[in-house]
Amino acid sequence: MTQPIVNLQDHEHAAQAALGEAAWAYFSGGAADEITLRHNVAAWENLHLSPRVLQDLRGGHTRCRLLGRDWPMPLLVAPMAYQRWAHPEGESGMVLAAAAQGCGMVLSHQTSTPLHDVGALVASDAERGPLWFQLYWLADRGALRELLAHIETVGFEALVLTVDAPVHGVRDRERRHGMPLPEGVKAVHWPTSDPQNKPRTGLCGGLADAAPTWADVQWLIGQTRLPVLLKGVTHPQDAVQAVKLGAAGLIVSNHGGRVLDTLPATAELLPRIVQAVRHQHPQALVLVDGGIRRGTDLFKALALGADAALIGRPALYGLAHAGARGAAHVLRLLRDEFEATMALTGCAHIQDIGIDRLWSPEPVYVA
């Protein structure tokens, strides 16, 4: 008899059974020895809660405010490439799942479904979460301008520039199995060739020469009416520089452990980033991703100062074995667990979630 799926680990096991070896290696694998991949999960587990009792929970809700708008839930689906490789419904199924649960979605630049098709499915849904688009830097600024205009026309509400992957991470599992994308699955908005067509030398066969710089970030912010967030910020000085240049916020991320191994877990990185940014730019958004597997993890992220969090692989695992319904179930589980955690720690609203709801070995004396 098949066991019921009641948590995100169950979805992961079902996805592994449904996916081929190459697809599983691509979606689940991390960089090098996968130390950061594992540590991302463990770091949230190692934080402990400190509930308050007998709090007034009447009228409680999970609504949050991001970029000047109110949303149902402080949770977004992180950008992930080639979702139609995981399931034929792909990004269309994922965005419908997110909207059904009041969660946001950040569509990957390497989407295997056209961005206008994805946006059209949910743009008019008043109960959905944020709809953002993730960018990788394109050296061809003309092509980038065209893409920006397309993104704005479709109705995406923010841009998320990934800044931590100027070159591909060293992923052993992926190198063993390759990336045999199925027929018809490709990154539909990715350039098919190098428009400059120049021989290159330098780091990583010249690929590092095209890596974006702070000047490129400043140029991008000046080219769009949409707010720009930087994803992949792990150093406090970079965080401060980003908001000084006009970024609306940043996402504390180590790319799910997929790019550079032995980075600290995002749960460890988050407090320093929050402290650095909020001291000088209290209005800037700080989000976090990496390793969130329970509603308690989402609660801990907010307690450490994040405005919201992103969930990646677990949503993809739900999609892989059960399409949009599976992805929606993953997000529903997280939402239910998060609400239960709020109630059990005495927090009626997002604003009630603070560092005092995390246990510390230091004694706290109240006069």
Side-chain angles (χ1 to χ4, degrees), residues 44-353:
W44 296 114
E45 293 175 345
N46 290 335
L47 291 172
H48 301 286
L49 297 172
S50 182
R52 296 291 305 278
V53 298
L54 301 176
Q55 304 299 298
D56 188 353
L57 300 176
R58 290 172 294 181
H61 58 75
T62 62
R63 291 192 295 275
C64 65
R65 191 165 182 83
L66 303 174
L67 299 178
R69 292 181 59 179
D70 292 326
W71 302 104
M73 182 77 180
L75 182 68
L76 298 87
V77 175
M80 293 173 286
Y82 306 116
Q83 293 181 31
R84 289 184 56 237
W85 190 13
H87 191 277
E89 294 178 7
E91 292 83 2
S92 295
M94 187 69 79
V95 77
L96 289 172
Q101 299 304 325
C103 298
M105 178 163 168
V106 185
L107 183 65
S108 172
H109 193 156
Q110 293 179 302
T111 174
S112 54
T113 307
L115 67 91
H116 51 269
D117 291 348
V118 175
L121 288 170
V122 300
S124 61
D125 186 347
E127 301 302 317
R128 65 171 172 83
L131 183 61
W132 299 349
F133 190 91
Q134 176 258 341
L135 283 173
Y136 284 108
W137 181 253
L138 298 179
D140 183 345
R141 290 190 173 186
L144 187 51
R145 286 192 191 96
E146 291 181 8
L147 180 60
L148 292 175
H150 192 185
I151 293 166
E152 292 178 5
T153 300
V154 169
F156 286 80
E157 295 140 351
L159 297 172
V160 176
L161 178 67
T162 293
V163 295
D164 65 343
V167 298
H168 199 280
V170 178
R171 298 199 282 266
D172 292 355
R173 278 202 270 168
E174 188 176 313
R175 292 193 295 181
R176 289 191 183 99
H177 294 281
M179 277 187 60
L181 291 174
E183 183 71 26
V185 175
K186 63 179 183 178
V188 295
H189 297 294
W190 196 254
T192 56
S193 62
D194 180 359
Q196 298 179 2
N197 196 28
K198 295 179 181 178
R200 291 173 172 171
T201 59
L203 292 175
C204 303
L207 290 175
D209 293 351
T213 65
W214 288 111
D216 293 316
V217 170
Q218 193 166 26
W219 177 88
L220 176 65
I221 292 171
Q223 294 296 310
T224 179
R225 60 178 176 79
L226 299 179
V228 175
L229 297 91
L230 302 191
K231 180 179 182 291
V233 176
T234 59
H235 197 291
Q237 291 179 346
D238 289 339
V240 171
Q241 187 164 356
V243 294
K244 279 184 177 179
L245 285 178
L250 46 93
I251 300 173
V252 179
S253 173
N254 53 34
H255 219 105
R258 290 174 62 81
V259 173
L260 180 62
D261 202 16
T262 71
L263 280 176
T266 51
E268 297 168 331
L269 294 164
L270 177 60
R272 292 185 181 183
I273 301 293
V274 169
Q275 182 179 25
V277 171
R278 295 278 161 73
H279 178 67
Q280 299 184 38
H281 303 275
Q283 78 288 350
L285 283 185
V286 179
L287 291 82
V288 65
D289 73 3
I292 289 176
R293 297 295 182 268
R294 286 282 186 180
T296 46
D297 298 339
L298 174 57
F299 182 94
K300 293 169 187 177
L302 270 59
L304 291 175
D307 294 291
L310 297 89
I311 185 81
R313 288 181 179 90
L316 191 285
Y317 295 154
L319 179 78
H321 76 90
R325 185 177 63 176
H329 188 239
V330 166
L331 298 173
R332 183 75 242 180
L333 286 171
L334 283 171
R335 181 165 189 162
D336 289 348
E337 291 178 6
F338 177 63
E339 291 192 22
T341 305
M342 288 180 63
L344 291 169
T345 56
C347 297
H349 308 99
I350 299 298
Q351 294 77 12
D352 300 330
I353 303 173

